Amino acid sequence: MNSLPRIVIFISGSGSNARSVIRHSKENQGYHVQRLYSNKPERGADSITADLDVELGLLSDEILAGPALFTKLNEENIQLVVLAGFLRKIPVSFLRGFKGKLINIHPSLLPAHGGPGMYGQRVHEAVIANGDTESGCSMHYVDEDYDTGAVIEQFTCPVLPEDTPKTLAARVLTLEHEHYPHVIHKLLNP
Ligand code: GRF
């Protein structure tokens, strides 16, 4: 086992950000992805772990809330838990245990367009409905509420007059893929 700082990634969806974070780890050796966890592995996590040779972990609400996962991640000396489209609420017990070591990415410039129910296309619909001329993504620490933890970094892109939620989502996602791995790398290699 290598001596790089270790992370785990939690996803619920297709995991395109997870793919980009894992690729970066293999190409740059700034951190090691110990495991990719999903509560819906058939949505994409299973093919990512097969393609990129990473261990797959299954999550359920019971596993998240119980002590075994927390103990395992501590024993493995996991230094960062990276959320990337993970749609289940993180229990307070887990949050407290990983305080300052749990980060998320959100597809808007927080505090704008965050909070309960603000995920996926809804975020981009809200940006366009609000007439914003700029959007982007936010990497932030996770606290006990939705999208309210301290922002680590934000990256911006324009909102074009002809944008639909779909075209804006694609532009923001490209920005996420480009920057999330670097933010993780910098946090672990200050
Ligand atoms: C991203 O837009 C991220 O900001 C949000 O969920 C989405 C995950 O997309 N938290 P993917 O599964 O990485 O493609």
Side-chain angles (χ1 to χ4, degrees):
M1 175 54 68
N2 60 51
S3 60
L4 293 171
R6 294 180 198 171
I7 72 169
V8 289
I9 309 173
F10 288 6
I11 67 172
S12 296
S14 63
S16 65
N17 275 288
R19 209 176 258 279
S20 146
V21 169
I22 296 168
R23 278 220 190 91
H24 187 279
S25 77
K26 307 243 171 198
E27 288 162 10
N28 297 278
Q29 301 290 311
Y31 56 88
H32 171 76
V33 180
Q34 182 83 357
R35 200 168 295 106
L36 173 65
Y37 283 99
S38 177
N39 60 323
K40 300 274 182 193
E42 69 285 359
R43 288 193 184 161
D46 51 2
S47 60
I48 296 173
T49 51
D51 291 349
L52 296 176
D53 190 25
V54 169
E55 196 179 315
L56 177 63
L58 301 185
L59 281 183
S60 63
D61 289 346
E62 293 70 30
I63 291 172
L64 254 184
L69 175 68
F70 182 75
T71 304
K72 182 180 173 84
L73 299 185
N74 264 312
E75 282 172 2
E76 291 177 338
N77 194 22
I78 299 302
Q79 295 185 27
L80 201 61
V81 177
V82 171
L83 308 188
F86 185 61
L87 296 177
R88 305 301 301 164
K89 185 111 173 135
I90 303 285
V92 171
S93 54
F94 191 91
L95 267 176
R96 292 202 175 132
F98 273 95
K99 198 169 163 50
K101 295 180 176 177
L102 188 52
I103 66 169
N104 184 37
I105 185 165
H106 184 81
S108 75
L109 299 174
L110 292 173
H113 312 299
M118 290 302 279
Y119 61 87
Q121 292 286 105
R122 289 185 209 175
V123 176
H124 307 293
E125 282 164 11
V127 169
I128 290 171
N130 200 44
D132 296 359
T133 54
E134 190 173 62
S135 190
C137 59
S138 305
M139 290 71 165
H140 65 94
Y141 290 104
V142 178
D143 67 10
E144 292 176 21
D145 288 311
Y146 283 105
D147 305 324
T148 55
V151 169
I152 303 163
E153 282 201 68
Q154 293 182 313
F155 300 89
T156 63
C157 63
V159 180
L160 304 177
E162 64 272 25
D163 265 332
T164 63
K166 203 171 164 192
T167 58
L168 179 57
R171 192 174 308 118
V172 172
L173 193 61
T174 302
L175 205 61
E176 297 184 28
H177 294 166
E178 184 185 346
H179 293 289
Y180 207 13
H182 293 285
V183 169
I184 294 164
H185 186 108
K186 278 197 279 180
L187 282 175
L188 294 166
N189 299 275

